[in-house]
Amino acid sequence: MYINIKQITAAVLICVTVVSCSKEIAERTKNTPALNPANIDLNAGTWKPVLLSAPDEFAVAAPGAASGPGYTAELNEIKGYQKSMTGVQKERLNYWSAGAVFRWNEIMRGLVAKYNLPPFQNPDGTYPVPDANNPFNNPQFPFANPPYASRAYAYVSAAQYDALVAAWHYKKLYNRSAPYKINNTITTLLPQSDLPSYPSEDAVVVGVMIEMLKLFFPGEQATIQQLATEHKNARIMAGMNVRSDIEAGEALGRLVAQKFVTRARGDRAGAAVGTPAIWQQMETQTAATGEMPWISQESPKRPAMLPLFGRVRTWLFDSATLVTTVRPGPPPSTKSEKFKQEVAEVLHYSKNATRAELAIVHYWADGLATHTPPGHWNAIAADDFVGQRFSEVRWARNMALLNMSMMDAAIACWDAKFAYFNPRPSQVNPEIKTWTGLPNFPSYTSGHSTFSGAAATILGRIIPARKTAYENMAREASLSRLYGAIHYRSDCEEGLKCGNVIGGYAIARANLDGAN
Amino acid sequence: MKLTIKTVWVLLLCITAKYSSAQTDIDAIMMEKNAFCVGPGYSYSSWKNYWEGAKKRENLNLGTVSTQMFAVMGNYGVSNKLNVLFNVPYVVTKASAGTLRGQSGLQDLSLMLKYRAINQKINNSRIALFGLLGGSLPMSNYNADLLPLSIGLQSKTAMARLMLDYYYDNKWFATASATYVYRSNVTLDRDSYYTDQFILSNEVKMPNATSYNIRAGYRTQWLIAEAVLNNWTTKGGFDITQNNMPFISNRMNATSLGANFKFVFRKLPQLSLTGGASHVVAGRNMGQSFNVNGAVFYVFDLNKKEKKDKQGTN
């Protein structure tokens, strides 16, 4: 042999080592520890709800006595589970223990990412509209684009918050202790707390999710039901709740959710797609002012995304305030010198963006098949909230503030986009090529900037120590759209400011909701 | 927007097709000891149709997607039985329609060790068995997350190949090879992504791949003409969902048919020209590309003192 056998062996060994390397991904929240609140917020039943007229608007019956045979049977269920728990069951128990609001927020971001895909065109070049009654058809329902996603996150978070405020009211009222406090033969697998266990806060969240996701992701019922069952059982297995805590919580969650479903059905989002006549009118009336109107650059031309989303009902201010106070002033005229300069700046980034700027473009792109920009801010919030050790009800309150802000940001941004109907840079100058997908709706203002401005403002109120960090992130997210050559600087700056204003309304609410 | 795969092409070119049939890691030709064959190559591939999962479609927002590759490749004879091969490609991509900017940059350096373990003459025939080990490494921090316009996948690869060559009457040949490619995970500029599930990480698990290659035709010292069948199969990965962008960990499969030639100048035997073309006939999550390529090679004899002590082994 010409070549040393040792060398061959070494080469083969290297090869085998490389191949056997584990490729498993360490997801960043996989091993999030069990929620162990720094403060159980025992008085959260007095916090101001979003839609409920009072925390006891929906009745929850008093629990049975903790001494009778019924309760003993419930304890036996826990013991039965704990006697023969499998490794998989333990793993799932730990998964859910990280927090109900936290885990379901994550699950929902996954659903948004799964459904964030635009319909494929018909053979005649038109596009089908997703239909809630046929979620499995082509196209699937929903197309979970950023406005849709912001609305779903907001309703779910707000409903969870109201339902948990109600739950906390009954917890304090009935004051039933956790099973491990009532009976010392019950082993707890998770951190103990003094929070009364009836109704179960986890089951409240489950009840809300089951009802809300029927509306927002009707094609996912099978998966949702499976997760719901697993979550509820995990709490019983962990010795944290007895079955009656769970059942009362789920029932309460479902009832509160119904109230939010009713609001959603009447919030005008169902009409946000518009009609061909409305689409044409927007173009015509902008052209009549002498400004260049937006035109779809997709092929075949796709109707703009949800042109009437700006008329959807807001959470934090009313529709008059939206138009008079929140709506940004007009963009630079498409005939002005300032506009020319801004186009030139976009062209500059289109040709010369640095690798570092491109990393920013892609980090914040949150385009197709992602959880969208509002989802990204939910992820940022969730990662930070874990470290804050919030109670479930405070988690829900903070998520509700964040997501109501971002849905209002979507409404305000879409209102501006379709009021001004401003063309994209690449429409004005075909030399401008983009570093990321070009969104199919008018340019002014930037959605990313508006979402980020709103999110950073309210998050800075929730975790003051991170205020500057959030502001920096928002500015980076905003500029990412300029670097990506899909927005003018005005779109980004005015969007960010508008978002900040909306975040201010959320702060005003936070100051008065009784949670401080 | 919706896009597709193309980048894989680039990867495929690196790993398998290479430039036609001149002493590459996919043919049975060896450089003799201390000979160094090097040269520039160019390839152009483009596609209009692609497979979204198993469904073939076009995308009017991309039009025709093209990839050009400029490369320097070389092969050095450590001995008559052991060669070292390298390839340094610069890649330029472009879409003829839509607004997305094409990308360009230095792509992945590939290195291969090629060892001829058996070279046995039987009557009029000769059978040779080769083992190859190698891999590739990104040479620049290009962005892999904008398929099909990314210039590469950013994955580091390691590969092992077994190759059998049958040569008859000093004219006719057939070569078959099988390759296993290990692909390292890739980190993207993202906070999360969706494959067939939601992943809260910026790291992407890359499926490994196998490749089969069969080539046959006429081969002498002066002229080679061959037909090539190549298959690339990703072991795992997921399909592009309807109207989605392609993703780096998609299941990317392709079978291509092609033909190559190599011409050696009799007046200057150190100099050779190669060329070839191939077309994808079946695929999954990839563009149906047509590829043409050409290269010029020159062989330097670094064997100063002991010249002619060994004959070229072809």
Side-chain angles (χ1 to χ4, degrees), chain A residues 29-266:
Chain A
T29 63
K30 189 167 187 286
N31 297 317
T32 301
L35 182 62
N36 187 10
N39 179 345
I40 60 170
D41 290 318
L42 189 61
N43 292 318
T46 63
W47 294 359
K48 186 183 158 196
V50 176
L51 286 190
L52 290 188
S53 53
D56 58 356
E57 181 179 335
F58 296 104
V60 172
S67 50
Y71 196 77
T72 305
E74 294 202 296
L75 294 179
N76 283 338
E77 184 184 7
I78 297 176
K79 290 177 188 169
Y81 272 130
Q82 291 190 347
K83 239 173 82 178
S84 56
M85 217 183 313
T86 66
V88 174
Q89 282 172 329
K90 264 190 193 140
E91 191 272 321
R92 298 308 290 169
L93 187 156
N94 287 331
Y95 166 85
W96 289 110
S97 75
V101 174
F102 171 59
R103 286 301 185 199
W104 281 99
N105 179 267
E106 242 175 43
I107 290 165
M108 205 170 130
R109 277 183 267 140
L111 291 176
V112 167
K114 179 177 178 182
Y115 282 88
N116 183 11
L117 292 171
F120 183 63
Q121 66 261 26
N122 295 318
D124 67 355
T126 61
Y127 291 89
V129 178
D131 175 6
N133 295 318
N134 289 300
F136 305 103
N137 276 7
N138 173 37
Q140 65 179 359
F141 179 92
F143 169 18
N145 51 45
Y148 187 94
S150 74
R151 179 167 167 264
Y153 292 128
Y155 273 96
V156 165
S157 297
Q160 285 179 354
Y161 169 64
D162 272 19
L164 286 171
V165 167
W168 251 252
H169 167 81
Y170 290 112
K171 277 176 184 290
K172 193 173 179 192
L173 179 68
Y174 296 131
N175 199 24
R176 180 202 256 185
S177 295
Y180 52 81
K181 298 223 165 182
I182 290 177
N183 186 312
N184 60 12
T185 65
I186 296 291
T187 318
T188 334
L189 303 178
L190 297 174
Q192 302 196 7
S193 99
D194 293 328
L195 185 69
S197 73
Y198 179 93
S200 152
E201 63 273 26
D202 285 76
V204 165
V205 172
V206 168
V208 168
M209 295 312 294
I210 290 173
E211 292 303 318
M212 296 310 294
L213 295 186
K214 281 180 191 167
L215 178 71
F216 289 108
F217 296 98
E220 293 291 325
Q221 268 302 301
T223 310
I224 304 299
Q225 292 289 352
Q226 216 175 339
L227 288 167
T229 303
E230 184 190 81
H231 185 178
K232 288 184 287 177
N233 287 340
R235 299 306 289 180
I236 296 172
M237 286 179 196
M240 300 301 282
N241 291 105
V242 290
R243 172 98 27 212
S244 53
D245 297 339
I246 298 287
E247 283 169 354
E250 182 179 350
L252 176 62
R254 283 173 181 259
L255 286 170
V256 174
Q258 284 306 331
K259 189 148 186 174
F260 284 81
V261 169
T262 304
R263 183 194 192 271
R265 293 203 187 280

Side-chain angles (χ1 to χ4, degrees), chain A residues 372-389:
Chain A
T372 75
H376 196 158
W377 280 101
N378 272 269
I380 290 166
D383 288 352
D384 287 353
F385 289 180
V386 165
Q388 298 292 314
R389 298 178 56 204

Side-chain angles (χ1 to χ4, degrees), chain B residues 256-299:
Chain B
S256 66
L257 268 174
N260 299 315
F261 74 88
K262 176 190 177 188
F263 177 78
V264 182
F265 293 86
R266 280 183 190 266
K267 286 184 178 166
L268 185 60
Q270 294 94 329
L271 186 66
S272 63
L273 293 179
T274 70
S278 66
H279 186 60
V280 172
V281 292
R284 192 174 187 98
N285 304 310
M286 297 207 23
Q288 185 173 26
S289 63
F290 180 75
N291 171 283
V292 289
N293 59 70
V296 182
F297 289 101
Y298 193 85
V299 180

Side-chain angles (χ1 to χ4, degrees), chain B residues 5 9 20 24 32 42 57 61 93 95 105 122-123 132 143 147 150 190 201 203 211 256 261 284-285 288-289:
Chain B
I5 309 305
W9 273 111
S20 46
T24 66
E32 65 189 81
Y42 172 81
R57 61 168 288 188
N61 294 299
T93 67
I122 308 165
N123 301 328
L132 295 95
N143 172 42
L147 292 176
S150 311
R190 292 203 190 211
S201 171
E203 188 184 349
S211 174
S256 66
F261 74 88
R284 192 174 187 98
N285 304 310
Q288 185 173 26
S289 63

Side-chain angles (χ1 to χ4, degrees), chain B residues 127-305:
Chain B
I127 289 172
L129 181 70
F130 300 77
L132 295 95
L133 283 179
S136 69
L137 204 64
M139 287 182 289
S140 67
N141 183 24
Y142 60 81
N143 172 42
D145 195 13
L146 201 65
L147 292 176
L149 293 168
S150 311
I151 60 165
L153 298 180
Q154 278 291 358
S155 181
K156 297 173 191 121
T157 72
M159 65 195 89
R161 173 176 299 148
L162 210 58
M163 183 162 65
L164 187 67
D165 183 62
Y166 176 77
Y167 196 36
Y168 176 73
D169 200 17
N170 285 330
K171 282 202 268 293
W172 306 103
F173 80 99
T175 310
S177 65
T179 308
Y180 190 83
V181 184
Y182 168 88
R183 305 197 296 176
S184 73
N185 288 354
V186 174
T187 303
L188 302 179
D189 299 318
R190 292 203 190 211
D191 83 312
S192 61
Y193 58 92
Y194 192 88
T195 55
D196 47 7
Q197 56 179 323
F198 188 51
I199 310 276
L200 278 160
S201 171
N202 58 355
E203 188 184 349
V204 180
K205 180 177 172 176
M206 292 293 285
N208 294 337
T210 55
S211 174
Y212 300 96
N213 185 286
I214 297 170
R215 47 217 301 133
Y218 177 83
R219 180 170 85 205
T220 67
Q221 190 183 351
W222 306 105
L223 182 70
I224 297 174
E226 63 177 6
V228 182
L229 174 69
N230 194 78
N231 172 271
W232 169 273
T233 304
T234 303
K235 312 310 268 184
F238 68 103
D239 282 338
I240 306 174
T241 37
Q242 185 173 42
N243 238 9
N244 200 350
M245 313 250 294
F247 194 71
I248 53 169
S249 62
N250 281 140
R251 175 190 295 270
M252 300 177 189
N253 298 342
T255 303
S256 66
L257 268 174
N260 299 315
F261 74 88
K262 176 190 177 188
F263 177 78
V264 182
F265 293 86
R266 280 183 190 266
K267 286 184 178 166
L268 185 60
Q270 294 94 329
L271 186 66
S272 63
L273 293 179
T274 70
S278 66
H279 186 60
V280 172
V281 292
R284 192 174 187 98
N285 304 310
M286 297 207 23
Q288 185 173 26
S289 63
F290 180 75
N291 171 283
V292 289
N293 59 70
V296 182
F297 289 101
Y298 193 85
V299 180
F300 296 91
D301 189 353
L302 307 179
N303 207 353
K304 284 170 190 162
K305 288 175 187 170

Side-chain angles (χ1 to χ4, degrees), chain A residues 23 27-28 350 355 434, chain B residues 101 141 183 200 206 208:
Chain A
K23 290 190 182 182
E27 289 193 70
R28 65 173 182 273
S350 165
R355 183 62 185 86
T434 65
Chain B
R101 176 166 293 291
N141 183 24
R183 305 197 296 176
L200 278 160
M206 292 293 285
N208 294 337

